[in-house]
Amino acid sequence: MKKLVIMLTPAAMLVLAAPFAIAQESQTPAPVAVDTAKALSEWDKVYAVFSHPRCADCHVADERPRWSGAHYGGTRVHAFNVQRGADGSGFGSPGLRCMTCHFSSNSKALHGPPGAENWHLAPAEMAWFGKVLGRNLRPDQGSLAQWQPQLEGYRGACSRRQTGRLGLGAGIGS
């Protein structure tokens, strides 16, 4: 009898849940009103993070991270021949991994290296260095759609990795 109850329980659950599943599938979602001005205003906040040197400098298409920002006087290739690494991991070459200088937290020295757990270059397919200029990546220009899958996948990972806190760009500049 106990075996019969165990075997019939999943079947009973399926039979009882079926009407609810069908009801959910038949509902059409309510139309969403889009406030373009507000969306662009919010996008400007996201753009400020993506274009900030702390993010953009490691989102490169080639093998070399960049140094940029006002205190560098422009953009230049990272010193010390730092590269993505032959294994493609983005953690650097053996003997000179990113974590050699980029520790688990920011340096306290003025213009010292920023830090976060597992510091490394973003995958090459996530390159946006030099692409996030002006309105290139603005949603009103239609180009955001091509980036959406990658941005969604990296949004949380980048913010936690680069800042040690949740939230896109939290602590940028700190």
Side-chain angles (χ1 to χ4, degrees):
M1 182 64 170
K2 188 174 182 181
K3 287 183 182 180
L4 182 63
V5 169
I6 291 172
M7 289 174 33
L8 291 178
T9 300
M13 291 173 66
L14 285 172
V15 169
L16 293 174
F20 296 106
I22 292 169
Q24 283 182 334
E25 288 179 10
S26 66
Q27 293 177 355
T28 57
V32 177
V34 176
D35 181 347
T36 303
K38 184 172 184 339
L40 291 176
S41 170
E42 293 300 314
W43 176 251
D44 286 338
K45 296 173 189 175
V46 173
Y47 172 82
V49 173
F50 288 160
S51 62
H52 190 280
R54 185 165 179 168
C55 279
D57 287 354
C58 291
H59 282 267
V60 295
D62 62 11
E63 304 301 307
R64 307 286 308 274
R66 303 299 192 273
W67 282 348
S68 66
H71 55 277
Y72 288 110
T75 300
R76 56 182 135 157
V77 173
H78 196 298
F80 316 118
N81 197 28
V82 171
Q83 298 189 28
R84 182 177 309 279
D87 61 359
S89 68
F91 284 98
S93 300
L96 187 57
R97 295 291 195 189
C98 300
M99 284 82 66
T100 303
C101 300
H102 295 276
F103 302 120
S104 61
S105 61
N106 290 336
S107 170
K108 301 227 185 291
L110 180 64
H111 305 302
E117 294 291 328
N118 299 316
W119 190 275
H120 64 282
L121 285 176
E125 62 270 12
M126 284 297 301
W128 64 64
F129 183 87
K131 295 180 183 178
V132 185
L133 300 172
R135 294 170 60 104
N136 289 4
L137 200 54
R138 294 285 300 254
D140 60 330
Q141 302 255 313
S143 58
L144 179 63
Q146 73 184 43
W147 290 82
Q148 193 63 33
Q150 293 102 334
L151 295 178
E152 282 301 313
Y154 268 79
R155 182 170 44 120
C158 274
S159 65
R160 285 188 297 275
R161 181 182 310 121
Q162 302 298 326
T163 66
R165 291 176 283 203
L166 291 175
L168 183 60
I172 291 292
S174 60

